[in-house]
Amino acid sequence: MFTLHETTQRRVCRVSFLVLCVVPTLLTLAGIAYCNRPWRQRDWQNTLASSLHLRAELADISQPLPGKKVLTQVRLAALHTGAELGSIDRITVQRDGGRLLLDADVLELQASELANLLTALKTWLSAGRAIELALLADQLTITSPKWPALQLANLSIRSQSNGRVFRITADDLTGNSLKVDIKADDDGVRGIIGAQQASLPAWLIGELVPGVRCCGDANFTGVLDVQNSNDDLHGKLTGNLSQVDVRQWSSDDSHQLQGLAEIDLEQVVWKSNSLELARGSIGIDGGAATYSVLIDMQKKLLCTAGPALGQSTSNSELVPFEKLTARFDLSRNGLVIRGDESGQLVSSADGPLLIAPQANTQLPTAQIVQLFHQFTRQVGWMPATKAAHEMAEKLPLPEFSDEAGNRQ
């Protein structure tokens, strides 16, 4: 062994102190200062905004462990309109190799902004920023100002195929599973919602599919295929709507149909917020209709009065019925209505109230609006009310007009 010169020993000690003590301490202090810099929220907001093409706000950010960050009270809004898309109370962010891991407590989405959320997702994926990610949340809440919030548990969002395909699963309050597959390509974003087990409220489906919102809090089970391409939302729907309160189809208490309907949707096709095709059937067991509705069904739908339909002294008188069965085929060509196997559309204990029109009778689409919304004054083909106009906007546009310019 040899002994270092005293001067060399001092130099070695000084260098060791700098390398092993001072430098790590300075790096640690610098890291702490950087992670707790006063403007870190603004930096993260700018990072989220540039990455997601959304407006982003957050209350605080912390780093409990190296590589793990906790964001609190995150708010995401549409970039151009500023409308709030969703919020997260608390989310943990960390990386596992090349995959981004997100763990949240409650994710809240606004039902009215689901279409804008799809547009934002399409913009994000088209910008080439797709990454592998996995998001887990204890609860997903979808809120609406008019209807009770939809709550789902055990939300899981996992990306596949280099971040271009997403599989989303969640459970309803009874444990039934809801599945959503989202795929992005050069044409846009396509989402397939499988609600065969866990039903969804009709008002939520109505945020994407025109005409379904009028079914309110009815339960939908089936498959929804929606696409957002070329700034256009379109898709297909098949399934069943149960417990539909048909009273909400009419805005006039003295002119209404009453009962809980089962609606079987064999095929529904829509584009640009209006229906192109709707085919299926409606069934009501035990209901009532005002005399005015039955008379209008006879006039507008070209039905034949049955022997059980007598005279009434008041149009607002409720006439009970045992069964209403109607098969419908709605398209640009018009509306075709059929009854049950014997041709009855509405029947009571005393016999048929209304007989369906002759087979393959094409009815003008406008007749649907006129059936549920009476004329207060004659203005063209449609009642001059807001509710009537809202219904008409969702119906298929006719292929042609007659010589007088009236819609067919």
Side-chain angles (χ1 to χ4, degrees):
M1 294 292 295
F2 62 91
T3 303
L4 296 175
H5 191 275
E6 184 178 350
T7 302
T8 303
Q9 291 180 6
R10 290 177 182 152
R11 289 176 179 173
V12 171
C13 290
R14 289 170 182 169
V15 171
S16 300
F17 177 73
L18 287 173
V19 173
L20 300 176
C21 297
V22 176
V23 173
T25 302
L26 291 176
L27 291 176
T28 301
L29 292 175
I32 294 173
Y34 178 79
C35 292
N36 294 277
R37 63 196 185 280
W39 58 90
R40 65 187 184 280
Q41 287 97 334
R42 185 177 68 244
D43 290 347
W44 266 85
Q45 289 175 177
N46 294 336
T47 300
L48 290 173
S50 62
S51 300
L52 302 177
H53 297 277
L54 299 172
R55 294 185 187 182
E57 296 181 359
L58 57 93
D60 191 22
I61 177 174
S62 61
Q63 187 168 341
L65 294 172
K68 178 182 290 188
K69 296 179 175 63
V70 179
L71 284 62
T72 57
Q73 297 183 23
V74 181
R75 299 287 185 272
L76 300 176
L79 189 61
H80 299 293
T81 64
E84 183 174 325
L85 302 179
S87 63
I88 304 174
D89 288 341
R90 184 177 182 272
I91 183 170
T92 301
V93 183
Q94 58 184 329
R95 284 190 176 273
D96 179 15
R99 187 171 61 160
L100 186 63
L101 302 180
L102 307 174
D103 191 359
D105 49 6
V106 179
L107 171 61
E108 181 175 311
L109 300 178
Q110 302 296 323
S112 59
E113 300 298 325
L114 289 180
N116 289 331
L117 193 60
L118 280 176
T119 301
L121 179 61
K122 183 184 72 171
T123 303
W124 176 54
L125 294 175
S126 63
R129 300 179 182 273
I131 59 174
E132 294 283 344
L133 65 84
L135 185 150
L136 300 176
D138 298 331
Q139 180 177 308
L140 169 64
T141 302
I142 303 178
T143 62
S144 170
K146 183 178 179 181
W147 303 101
L150 171 65
Q151 293 186 350
L152 299 171
N154 304 322
L155 173 68
S156 172
I157 303 177
R158 298 183 183 274
S159 65
Q160 306 168 2
S161 303
N162 297 323
R164 307 293 290 181
V165 177
F166 295 85
R167 163 58 67 92
I168 303 174
T169 59
D171 299 330
D172 63 13
L173 298 181
T174 61
N176 293 320
S177 180
L178 174 73
K179 298 179 180 179
V180 181
D181 289 320
I182 297 179
K183 180 180 180 181
D185 53 31
D186 295 337
D187 296 329
V189 175
R190 179 183 181 185
I192 300 178
I193 302 174
Q196 296 95 329
Q197 299 180 13
S199 63
L200 293 173
W203 61 261
L204 179 59
I205 300 297
E207 295 293 343
L208 298 173
V209 185
V212 180
R213 192 183 304 176
C214 68
C215 296
D217 57 355
N219 297 318
F220 169 78
T221 54
V223 177
L224 170 61
D225 185 345
V226 57
Q227 299 184 55
N228 188 326
S229 57
N230 301 321
D231 296 326
D232 179 40
L233 197 67
H234 55 95
K236 300 178 181 179
L237 177 73
T238 58
N240 177 269
L241 289 164
S242 61
Q243 299 295 300
V244 180
D245 187 355
V246 296
R247 287 183 301 177
Q248 54 200 330
W249 292 355
S250 175
S251 57
D252 187 352
D253 291 339
S254 62
H255 180 80
Q256 63 177 224
L257 184 65
Q258 296 182 1
L260 295 178
E262 296 286 326
I263 303 179
D264 182 40
L265 301 172
E266 297 176 4
Q267 185 179 19
V268 176
V269 180
W270 86 94
K271 183 178 181 180
S272 300
N273 203 34
S274 65
L275 294 171
E276 291 194 338
L277 173 68
R279 183 179 298 121
S281 62
I282 300 175
I284 303 177
D285 291 329
T290 58
Y291 189 74
S292 60
V293 166
L294 295 176
I295 294 301
D296 274 0
M297 290 177 72
Q298 182 182 352
K299 295 179 179 178
K300 307 297 184 183
L301 304 184
L302 302 183
C303 296
T304 303
L309 181 63
Q311 298 294 324
S312 175
T313 57
S314 173
N315 284 335
S316 60
E317 177 188 353
L318 278 175
V319 179
F321 60 82
E322 284 192 343
K323 195 172 186 64
L324 182 151
T325 303
R327 293 189 56 83
F328 59 88
D329 192 337
L330 177 65
S331 67
R332 293 179 181 273
N333 296 324
L335 172 67
V336 175
I337 292 287
R338 296 187 297 274
D340 60 13
E341 296 81 358
S342 60
Q344 297 182 26
L345 195 67
V346 186
S347 60
S348 68
D350 298 326
L353 293 170
L354 291 174
I355 308 298
Q358 295 182 359
N360 300 322
T361 300
Q362 289 281 354
L363 302 170
T365 306
Q367 305 295 73
I368 306 175
V369 182
Q370 296 175 11
L371 174 63
F372 292 102
H373 302 278
Q374 290 186 305
F375 283 100
T376 55
R377 55 191 177 92
Q378 189 73 28
V379 181
W381 65 274
M382 186 170 60
T385 63
K386 181 179 179 180
H389 279 261
E390 289 178 349
M391 176 180 283
E393 289 172 353
K394 306 296 189 295
L395 298 177
L397 294 174
E399 295 287 357
F400 60 92
S401 299
D402 62 18
E403 296 180 356
N406 297 320
R407 299 173 64 178
Q408 300 295 311

